[in-house]
Amino acid sequence: MPVPPLDSAGLAAFDEHYRFGLSAADQDEFLPAVNGSFASSHAVEQLYRASAPQAPERAWQTPSENPYGAWYVTTSITDTAEGPLAGRTAAIKDNVMVAGVPMMNGSRTVEGFVPVRDATAVSRLLAAGAEIAGKSVCEDLCFSGGSFTSHPAPVRNPWDETRNAGGSSSGSAALVAGGVVDIALGGDQGGSVRIPSSFCGTVGHKPTFGLVPYTGAFPIERTIDHLGPITRTVADAALMLGVLAGADGFDPRQPEGVAGADYVAALERPVTGLRVGVVREGFGLSNSDPAVDAAVRDAVGVLESLGLVAQEVSIPWHTDAMHVWNVIATEGAAYQMLDGNAYGMNSEGLYDPELIEHYGRQRLTAGVHLSKTVKLVGLSGRHTFLTGGGRYYAMARNLALDVRAAYDRALAEFDVLVMPTLPYTARSIPAADISLSTYLDVALSMVVNTAPFDVTGHPACSVPTALVGGLPAGLMIIGSRFDDATVLQVAHAYEQALGGFPAPAGSAAPALAR
């Protein structure tokens, strides 16, 4: 569609916006030149349409039975019967594109969109023999950890369906925990792989930033976007990460030449003598459940029984890192995810013009239905951007280097760092009429330990501790950037020492204890 010509009033409004100070005569002189420039926009559209892919024909269904409210749609998509994931069923978080299958991202602003391309992660899972069993429900635009902002309904926790499953990869974790699928793909910008894994008792690994290509997933903020595995066992997480990792040539988040490793082989390395830093600032938070802190310290004791050497370490930056994440995740996301219609500009990589067009139009017509967390991002992020012109974001990005360096200094002394994944166990799914303060508390108050590592890019894996009051809690293991192998190695040794992780009653998953 050609760009509609600009009229005099429109040009005058743009002059006012940019404070160009054009006189009426200047504006009259500029108008034909501006309108003449739109010929290139039209030409680019014509060229793009001539080569743009078409969505393949793939069968999908709205599930008649929907355990935990965790499926958006179900499918049965395979490419090959061979490969390291042959025979494994996989759920794909519904912010990740599966070509020809509807994608909603938990939000009415995306509802009705059908991607024309597979995300790189999806292509790699299919090439490794996995069966894509469906798209799993996620929070509204993935901006919540409470599993209750998703449209049309919350995702329920398999351990207690009156409680939340965590978010934003809520459906992925619930389906894995309940044994409905073998493995799942999640996304993580503030903890969204690890939060539902802690609440649901699964293994959730947030890889090093840039290790797994984000191409084909709905972005929130380019500097904190991650995709990662959610599984029942650490061995499956290592297997899945080996399939997902490595450069695809389309994602600007990835360093040149980044490659994965044999993460499965790394699980067999001896752990005796590895040094574990127990981060003091990760415990005793204002909203910490002492029983969760105790369960994590007991887990550290298990590691010590295996010959790892644990010692407390103080990283004061961990306390302030949330301020850095808050600015990046509000101002940055308001600028990119909202005003920038998810992708923003000024970066290389593969864009999705179809999604940008669909969401950009629907965001304005269905914005009233957005979650209160997304509205908070837009209101606060827009104000700080207009107030500071981007300087708060710029300061936060610079401080992120200091935060990263603080963890790097600790990781020069220790092989891994540990702390509680979340300060508490799953809460009751809230009523629809709760106050804004309660809404935001249930949605966001759990991210204090998880969010810093989205800013710094360090790999972090949540594995279940012993149950706390009959509910899962998480031990988070953090490693040096691009040393995901050691993180998984320690996690696997811990799992083997326990004899396996618990599964909820009624789950099809094998259980150590119910």
Side-chain angles (χ1 to χ4, degrees), residues 335-404:
Y335 189 83
Q336 179 180 320
M337 181 179 71
L338 294 176
D339 287 323
N341 293 327
Y343 279 79
M345 296 182 180
N346 308 118
S347 178
E348 294 184 354
L350 187 67
Y351 287 72
D352 196 292
E354 293 80 14
L355 175 59
I356 292 168
E357 179 183 20
H358 179 95
Y359 168 64
R361 178 180 63 252
Q362 205 150 294
R363 179 176 63 80
L364 300 179
T365 59
V368 65
H369 299 296
L370 284 167
S371 70
K372 294 177 183 179
T373 48
V374 174
K375 289 176 180 177
L376 175 68
V377 167
L379 295 171
S380 60
R382 181 66 177 167
H383 180 67
T384 56
F385 175 76
L386 290 178
T387 300
R391 72 184 184 95
Y392 297 108
Y393 179 87
M395 290 187 287
R397 282 299 342 158
N398 287 351
L399 288 173
L401 302 176
D402 295 327
V403 179
R404 175 187 288 177

Side-chain angles (χ1 to χ4, degrees), residues 275 277 279 313-318 399-417 453 456 458 478-481:
R275 302 157 297 168
V279 180
V313 60
S314 176
I315 307 177
W317 258 116
H318 185 70
L399 288 173
L401 302 176
D402 295 327
V403 179
R404 175 187 288 177
Y407 295 120
D408 284 345
R409 284 192 294 272
L411 286 162
E413 181 181 354
F414 298 98
D415 296 290
V416 295
L417 306 173
F453 302 104
T456 66
H458 292 89
I478 303 106
S480 296
R481 282 171 294 136

Side-chain angles (χ1 to χ4, degrees), residues 66-70 147 153-165 170 174 200 429:
N66 195 353
Y68 322 118
S147 90
V155 176
R156 305 182 300 277
N157 193 312
W159 289 85
D160 177 349
E161 294 197 37
T162 69
R163 295 178 183 265
N164 63 355
S170 46
C200 292
I429 295 173

Side-chain angles (χ1 to χ4, degrees), residues 176-201:
V176 170
V180 181
V181 294
D182 299 314
I183 59 177
L185 186 65
D188 199 309
Q189 282 89 2
S192 292
V193 163
R194 294 160 289 157
I195 293 167
S197 289
S198 183
F199 279 169
C200 292

